[in-house]
Amino acid sequence: QGHLVESGGGSVQAGGSLRLSCVDSGSTYRRFCMAWFRQTPGKEREGVAAIYTGGGVTYYSDSVKGRFTVSVDNAKNTLYLQMNSLKPEDTAMYYCAAGGSGDTARVLTANDYNIWGQGTQVTVSS
């Protein structure tokens, strides 16, 4: 089935930037719709950004719109999340997800995805 491997997390001061990467070693079909989610202890997984990898249409949560950019390099089977103007409230474990149904009403809903990476930690200090 293959799996997703995230990288690029780390610690940064508020206002800084990070770029997360997610390499997908699985089948092409499941990359139709991919997304980034984040989660902090005791809270539900929150959809951050999603992309239809064929046409490049993107979706963002209100909390990151204008600061984060999701993109994909299909030749490298890699999903990216460029995070700028980071805030302490962006601190979380970030997960890559694949296998989304493509339902636009559910692109940022965790249970619409059935393939997940192991996560990469992002910590933003004030």
Side-chain angles (χ1 to χ4, degrees), residues 35-48:
W36 288 97
F37 288 77
R38 65 187 182 188
Q39 190 170 24
T40 54
K43 293 189 176 181
E44 293 187 357
R45 199 163 289 192
E46 173 195 9
V48 172

Side-chain angles (χ1 to χ4, degrees), residues 21-24 31 71-80:
S21 299
C22 170
V23 179
D24 181 6
R31 302 190 203 110
S71 62
V72 64
D73 185 333
N74 289 313
K76 295 182 178 180
N77 298 338
T78 302
L79 182 73
Y80 300 100

Side-chain angles (χ1 to χ4, degrees), residues 1 6 14 16 23 37 45 55 58 60 63 66-67 69 77 79 85 89 92 95 97 101 103 122 126:
Q1 186 177 12
E6 301 101 331
V23 179
F37 288 77
R45 199 163 289 192
T58 57
Y60 298 95
S63 61
R67 300 187 297 122
T69 302
N77 298 338
L79 182 73
S85 302
E89 51 264 44
Y95 297 91
S101 68
D103 182 347
V122 171
S126 57

Side-chain angles (χ1 to χ4, degrees), residues 19-68:
R19 188 175 83 154
L20 306 184
S21 299
C22 170
V23 179
D24 181 6
S25 62
S27 301
T28 303
Y29 80 92
R30 69 187 200 181
R31 302 190 203 110
F32 170 67
C33 184
M34 298 185 71
W36 288 97
F37 288 77
R38 65 187 182 188
Q39 190 170 24
T40 54
K43 293 189 176 181
E44 293 187 357
R45 199 163 289 192
E46 173 195 9
V48 172
I51 185 168
Y52 290 128
T53 60
V57 177
T58 57
Y59 299 84
Y60 298 95
S61 67
D62 288 342
S63 61
V64 307
K65 198 173 296 181
R67 300 187 297 122
F68 290 11

Side-chain angles (χ1 to χ4, degrees), residues 106-122:
R106 294 171 55 78
V107 288
L108 294 179
T109 303
N111 61 16
D112 195 55
Y113 296 83
N114 56 6
I115 303 163
W116 294 86
Q118 81 290 348
T120 186
Q121 178 68 37
V122 171

